Amino acid sequence: IEYAKVIQSSLLPDFRQVQTFLPHSFWIWQPRDIVGGDMLYVEAFDQEWLVVVMDCTGHGVPGAFMTMVAATNLRRITRDEGCHQPAEILQRLNVLMKTSLQQDTAQARSDDGLDAAICLIQPSKQQLLFAGAKLPLYYLHHDQLQLLKGDKHSLGYKRSNVKFTFTTHTLPLEAGMAFYLATDGLIDQLGGPKRLPLGNKRFQALLWEKRQESWEDQAQQLLVAFQDYQGENARQDDVTVV
């Protein structure tokens, strides 16, 4: 388990380096156990930046193994194949995850996969491209918090259609906008007096409530609110918010 932690940590971005080209940002990555099934991926290409959040099957060591397979395939797509378009990355990752685990065959022994959200930030074009596999993009614009849903299609599972075409959403970049990606760990956490999931509405309300704080304070206050809501309940899942 400790060795899995070392390997998984080495696959995460160097957040000190990331802060040099994305200084107005925060990064929350908290596995439920020592290791987990959430993964972050950040890559810079000629003044364009790719930000990926992935939620793989499972927790602990099984989830960590899945993130290693996913991160390796993602590097192959973005670096070796030179693919930077979010929807194309999702389609290619869908194929590679399925074939890497031989889940495209009748004798497959596993049925694992992942959900993902991908943003390509293009300052020179003043736009952000987004594509999602189950995971959404949240963004602040004109004093409103908007939710842009990903396609209802996970990646890599036996049932995942390798010919599925993901949707690219193009958003213009304007002063005062802010963008958030998250896995479902925070949203699905049980808590409160009735032991109900925190839910998407509460999560969006937290983002709206903390929007004027510094990035560092937003991250800290989101975690405090999450822990307060969780109370004495067990942690349900890994938590990632960007």
Side-chain angles (χ1 to χ4, degrees):
I1 293 174
E2 289 296 335
Y3 185 65
K5 178 182 179 181
V6 171
I7 298 298
Q8 185 173 49
S9 298
S10 71
L11 294 174
L12 290 169
D14 182 341
F15 294 115
R16 292 172 299 179
Q17 183 180 6
V18 171
Q19 290 288 348
T20 63
F21 55 83
L22 291 175
H24 305 295
S25 61
F26 70 78
W27 309 83
I28 296 173
W29 181 78
Q30 288 195 349
R32 189 192 72 171
D33 305 309
I34 296 174
V35 290
D38 283 5
M39 177 54 65
L40 292 168
Y41 182 86
V42 182
E43 194 77 75
F45 312 100
D46 298 325
Q47 299 304 307
E48 296 184 349
W49 300 290
L50 194 70
V51 179
V52 184
V53 168
M54 296 184 287
D55 184 359
C56 299
T57 304
H59 314 289
V61 173
F65 279 132
M66 283 296 297
T67 66
M68 294 172 198
V69 176
T72 300
N73 282 324
L74 196 52
R75 280 180 170 82
R76 172 180 171 180
I77 295 166
T78 60
R79 295 183 182 180
D80 300 341
E81 299 179 4
C83 178
H84 305 155
Q85 296 298 309
E88 293 178 20
I89 293 172
L90 288 177
Q91 195 279 333
R92 191 77 184 101
L93 189 59
N94 187 23
V95 173
L96 287 178
M97 290 299 294
K98 195 163 185 174
T99 55
S100 295
L101 301 172
Q102 300 183 26
Q103 291 175 171
D104 57 334
T105 65
Q107 63 269 24
R109 300 180 63 184
S110 63
D111 187 14
D112 297 301
L114 62 111
D115 298 333
I118 304 180
C119 288
L120 179 65
I121 306 162
Q122 299 179 310
S124 62
K125 298 180 181 179
Q126 286 295 290
Q127 66 182 18
L128 178 147
L129 305 183
F130 166 75
K134 289 286 187 76
L135 297 183
L137 171 71
Y138 307 85
Y139 66 99
L140 290 167
H141 188 220
H142 292 161
D143 290 328
Q144 288 186 325
L145 181 65
Q146 307 283 348
L147 172 65
L148 188 55
K149 294 183 178 180
D151 291 303
K152 295 180 179 180
H153 195 281
S154 296
L155 309 178
Y157 293 95
K158 289 181 180 179
R159 64 184 180 277
S160 299
N161 180 5
V162 294
K163 296 182 179 179
F164 185 84
T165 301
F166 290 90
T167 307
T168 295
H169 303 271
T170 303
L171 297 174
L173 295 177
E174 299 176 17
M177 295 183 76
F179 302 88
Y180 301 86
L181 298 174
T183 59
D184 59 6
L186 193 151
I187 293 168
D188 288 347
Q189 177 60 48
L190 298 179
K194 296 184 178 180
R195 201 170 179 269
L196 296 173
L198 185 139
N200 205 26
K201 288 185 178 180
R202 286 193 185 94
F203 178 59
Q204 291 184 67
L206 282 172
L207 293 180
W208 177 256
E209 179 185 338
K210 311 301 182 187
R211 70 190 185 282
Q212 301 293 350
E213 305 292 338
S214 68
W215 298 108
E216 182 179 355
D217 287 344
Q218 284 190 46
Q220 292 176 348
Q221 292 180 32
L222 279 175
L223 286 174
V224 168
F226 171 70
Q227 291 161 1
D228 287 347
Y229 187 83
Q230 176 184 346
E232 297 181 358
N233 294 283
R235 176 75 68 93
Q236 302 293 123
D237 202 351
D238 311 308
V239 172
T240 300
V241 186
V242 175

